[in-house]
Each structure stands twice: as structure tokens, then as C-alpha cells.
Amino acid sequence: GRSGAWLSTWNPHVQFGRPTAQLGGFGKAYLITRILSFTTRNPFVLYTYLAVGTACLTGLFCFLFLKSLGLHPAACFSGAGGLSLGVFFSYWLTFVMFLATVCWTMALLWLVTEVIDRRSVPAAVGVGFATYCLLMSGYPQFAILQGYLLVGFTMIRLWKLGSRRESTRAFALLAGAVLVGALTALPPYLDVALAPRGSGRPQVPDELFLTV
């Protein structure tokens, strides 16, 4: 969208215009999109950078995650290549929100493992950043699904530590990092929460969802 400031709020390039989407990696409120915007003013080129970069990062994070679990490098390479070059990623290259959800989930799986196994503070900082990226660039419903996976994985890894003191320390480190990451992504979500109040669409009754 056009803007005289660093962040646009209105997109004039569709019929009647619409507010600029800041979630899903499409707006400059997302740090990575903001950095990529310095390289080009062509939205199609920027989207290509974002999609291909997301696929590459997914392969890297998957490799590091499997390596942190102690797998052989060949197995790590096979898993990372199969994920980032497979059917799912090839099919959804034009819908980067799905790719980003998988990408930052893999990053969190790797970083959570590092924090729990080594109590690594840099990895905890990475957890905060990856949480922010998942919330800002991921498809919301898909991100919720991945959240269940991440919480379950984290609880199992903490339980396998055996030491209550070490588990508590690792949990506190992770919880603090996730909280900071979520807070940095909060402003766009507050905008989303306010948007329905000004919407002209009819309100769907709760009974519909309860029936489903």
C-alpha cells in the first residue's frame, strides 16, 4: 500500500481499496518483510524473495532440529530436503502463510530443544523471535494447530530431563521468551480484534459453530 510513512495502513490496489494486511508476512509491520522491502519496490519480486527464503529457512531449521536430536547428518539432510522441497512446499509457494507456519514451527522445535538440553540463553532469544515470526507470518488457524504440537513436544522434553529444578529453570526461560515474542506481535492483533466492530458483515451466531 501507498504511504508517506514507514508503514502503510491502506491498500489502494484492489477495487474500493481495503486496509493493508499486516499479518501473514504481507505488511511492513513484519520485520523480515520490512528488511526485504529495502531490496525492491516490486511486490511480486518481494513475494518471491519471501517465499523462496521461507523454504530455504525451513530446510535449515529442520536440519538443525534433527541434528539436535542426534540424528546422522544424512538423515538430517534427507528430512530437511524432503520437507522444504516436497509436495507441500511446492504446492503452497503462492501462499506463503502456510510455508511460514511450518518454517517457524521447525525453528521453535530446534530452539526449544537447545534451551531445554543446554539452557542456552541465545536459543531463548531465538525462541522469542521465532514466536514473533510465527504469529506475524503464519496462517492463524494453522499456527494454533502447530501450537498444540509445540506445547506437547516441550512438555515431553521437560519431563525427560528428570530433574525438577532443571525443568523449572528451562520452563521459566522458555515461558519468558514466548511471552516477549507474543507481546511484540500484539499491536497488529489488536487491530484485527477491533476490525469486526466496524465491519458491515452480518454477525454469525454462536449456535452455528456450536452445531458444527
Side-chain angles (χ1 to χ4, degrees):
R2 296 170 187 162
S3 174
W6 73 274
L7 183 66
S8 67
T9 58
W10 186 257
N11 176 13
H13 302 295
V14 295
Q15 191 175 24
F16 299 124
R18 62 177 296 170
T20 303
Q22 303 298 340
L23 298 179
F26 295 124
K28 291 182 182 178
Y30 179 44
L31 181 61
I32 292 179
T33 300
R34 174 62 179 167
I35 293 171
L36 290 174
S37 71
F38 290 116
T39 65
T40 179
R41 297 187 64 84
N42 186 318
F44 297 103
V45 173
L46 188 145
Y47 187 89
T48 301
Y49 289 162
L50 188 62
V52 174
T54 300
C56 292
L57 284 175
T58 302
L60 174 64
F61 292 145
C62 184
F63 185 96
L64 293 171
F65 169 56
L66 297 177
K67 184 173 180 288
S68 69
L69 296 179
L71 271 67
H72 189 278
C76 299
F77 183 79
S78 297
L83 178 62
S84 60
L85 300 173
V87 174
F88 182 86
F89 267 66
S90 300
Y91 185 83
W92 288 114
L93 272 175
T94 56
F95 201 65
V96 75
M97 289 190 285
F98 276 176
L99 309 188
T101 308
V102 176
C103 174
W104 296 108
T105 297
M106 294 308 306
L108 283 167
L109 288 171
W110 165 52
L111 292 165
V112 164
T113 304
E114 291 293 314
V115 171
I116 293 175
D117 291 353
R118 299 173 179 82
R119 255 69 73 205
S120 169
V121 175
V125 174
V127 168
F129 180 71
T131 300
Y132 158 80
C133 290
L134 178 62
L135 293 174
M136 289 296 296
S137 64
Y139 191 75
Q141 290 90 336
F142 195 11
I144 292 171
L145 176 64
Q146 300 297 74
Y148 286 111
L149 167 68
L150 289 163
V151 169
F153 176 82
T154 302
M155 292 298 104
I156 291 171
R157 297 294 293 190
L158 288 172
W159 176 73
K160 291 178 72 174
L161 272 180
S163 169
R164 180 176 297 181
R165 180 180 178 183
E166 292 299 321
S167 298
T168 302
R169 181 183 174 189
F171 177 80
L173 197 58
L174 286 170
V178 169
L179 179 62
V180 171
L183 287 175
T184 56
L186 184 61
Y189 277 88
L190 291 177
D191 283 344
V192 171
L194 292 172
R197 298 183 183 179
S199 174
R201 298 179 180 180
Q203 297 297 315
V204 178
D206 295 336
E207 288 77 10
L208 172 66
F209 298 102
L210 292 173
T211 302
V212 173

